[in-house]
Amino acid sequence: MKNITPIIIGLVSLPALAYAAMPLLTTSGDTERGQEIYEETCIACHGPDGSGALPGITPDFTAKDGPLSQSDEVLIEHITDGFQSPGSQMAMPPLGGNDELTEEDVQAVLDYLKHEFYGE
Ligand code: HEC
């Protein structure tokens, strides 16, 4: 008869694994919504890798001391109300020009930016 101990150990540890993965699963739900918003509304200017689709105009989200080093509070305000830094050639439009976005959407897309482009 074959040794079934590894199978039993595998079965017993499954629920523990599922439990451990739960926080990951919950975050990925939000991140997915964030990704959807990013791809619909932000990607044209900020680029698929977040480094900016308009060279010299849109900032590099992946830069360690770049815009994403600011607090969520500041970033949510800048995304929601729009933002222009001194001397810049082009403003970030309020909500990226998509009036449909809710407060939750802004938080979701910010979470996505930080997770995807800033390693947080
Ligand atoms: C029409 C182009 C355009 C679109 C669309 C756009 N942005 Fe921007 N965004 C910009 C520009 C330009 C800047 C830099 C503004 C400056 O520094 O003056 C910027 C800056 C930012 C910043 C940095 C703000 C800071 O404090 O430095 C964040 C965060 C950001 N955008 C997020 C987003 C998100 C999220 C979306 C989609 C919901 C989006 N942007 C859509 C053009 C755009």
Side-chain angles (χ1 to χ4, degrees), residues 41-42 45-46 57-59 61 67-68 70 75 78-79 83-85 88 90-93 95-96 101 109 113:
T41 306
C42 323
C45 293
H46 290 288
I57 297 178
T58 34
F61 288 154
L68 296 190
Q70 302 171 99
L75 290 168
H78 288 174
I79 295 170
F83 169 76
Q84 187 159 21
S85 44
S88 105
M90 183 181 166
M92 158 74 195
L95 295 171
L101 297 184
V109 75
L113 295 184

Side-chain angles (χ1 to χ4, degrees), residues 54-67:
L54 313 170
I57 297 178
T58 34
D60 181 1
F61 288 154
T62 66
K64 273 298 147 221
D65 55 352

Side-chain angles (χ1 to χ4, degrees), residues 60-110:
D60 181 1
F61 288 154
T62 66
K64 273 298 147 221
D65 55 352
L68 296 190
S69 62
Q70 302 171 99
S71 69
D72 277 17
E73 209 184 357
V74 167
L75 290 168
I76 285 173
E77 195 185 306
H78 288 174
I79 295 170
T80 309
D81 300 336
F83 169 76
Q84 187 159 21
S85 44
S88 105
Q89 307 176 47
M90 183 181 166
M92 158 74 195
L95 295 171
N98 181 354
D99 294 348
E100 314 259 287
L101 297 184
T102 64
E103 255 176 67
E104 287 81 50
D105 290 341
V106 171
Q107 182 69 61
V109 75
L110 177 58

